[in-house]
Amino acid sequence: MREQILTFLEKNSRIDPKELAVLLGSDEVTIMNDIAKMEEEKVICGYHTLIDWEKVSDEKVTALIEVRVTPMRGQGFDSIAERIYNYPEVRSVYLISGAYDLMVILEGKTLKQVSGFVSDKLSTLDSVLSTATHFILKKYKDHGTIFTKKSKDERMLVTP
């Protein structure tokens, strides 16, 4: 039952417990108790609100920054990851496989602000060997939500 609740909450964290109970063939009190227990156990760590910033005046620049680091002896990547995620601009930090070690997602108001963060703060850390910055130009889908969809009347113009 817990995994079913989590599956629904992951797609829509604002789903009404009463509706969830009906969908899962349970009662509302059981659903609410299960959710409260999972929050207490930190299985549910928070709730997301997805915002399409292109539809509001306050636009943000989001960047994915790949970071190659020298892991600390006895601490691996945890120590440098913690130093990075403590910056307020940083949204997420992931340990990844491939040519780079960490993926840092950060937001700023301008491209200059993001590039300043990378050059002044991130690249100056002792363990950081190199970085590669990728700016997000357009969001198509995030956490299962599609942000841009063409209507039936829109046609794509293709020229040879």
Side-chain angles (χ1 to χ4, degrees), residues 63-148:
L64 305 176
I65 303 159
E66 295 173 303
V67 184
R68 187 174 299 126
V69 299
T70 303
M72 302 290 287
R73 184 178 301 244
Q75 297 178 345
F77 297 97
D78 295 346
S79 176
I80 186 66
E82 183 177 357
R83 288 181 69 189
I84 294 170
Y85 71 61
N86 280 319
Y87 287 110
E89 301 92 336
V90 174
R91 300 280 308 227
S92 305
V93 178
Y94 300 96
L95 179 62
I96 59 173
S97 63
Y100 288 86
D101 304 304
L102 300 173
M103 173 69 70
V104 178
I105 300 173
L106 79 102
E107 283 185 349
K109 292 184 187 265
T110 64
L111 295 174
K112 185 176 181 179
Q113 186 182 37
V114 171
S115 63
F117 172 84
V118 173
S119 65
D120 299 340
K121 294 181 181 176
L122 192 58
S123 65
T124 60
L125 295 173
D126 295 339
S127 300
V128 173
L129 301 173
S130 63
T131 64
T133 303
H134 309 278
F135 292 100
I136 296 186
L137 303 176
K138 186 173 185 175
K139 186 188 307 188
Y140 293 100
K141 185 176 182 180
D142 191 6
H143 290 86
T145 300
I146 297 172
F147 284 84
T148 56

Side-chain angles (χ1 to χ4, degrees), residues 4 6 8 30 32 42-43 58 60 63 66 74 93 96 107 112 114-115 135-136 154 156 159:
Q4 291 173 315
L6 292 171
F8 279 103
T30 301
M32 290 173 56
K42 300 291 185 203
V43 171
D58 191 20
K60 297 181 186 288
E66 295 173 303
V93 178
I96 59 173
E107 283 185 349
K112 185 176 181 179
V114 171
S115 63
F135 292 100
I136 296 186
E154 285 184 281
M156 197 177 235
T159 55

Side-chain angles (χ1 to χ4, degrees), residues 3 5 13 18-20 22 29 33 43 61 67 71 86 111 113 129 133 139 144 147:
E3 286 188 24
I5 292 171
S13 63
K18 183 185 259 183
E19 182 182 346
L20 193 51
V22 170
V29 173
N33 287 339
V43 171
V61 175
V67 184
N86 280 319
L111 295 174
Q113 186 182 37
L129 301 173
T133 303
K139 186 188 307 188
F147 284 84

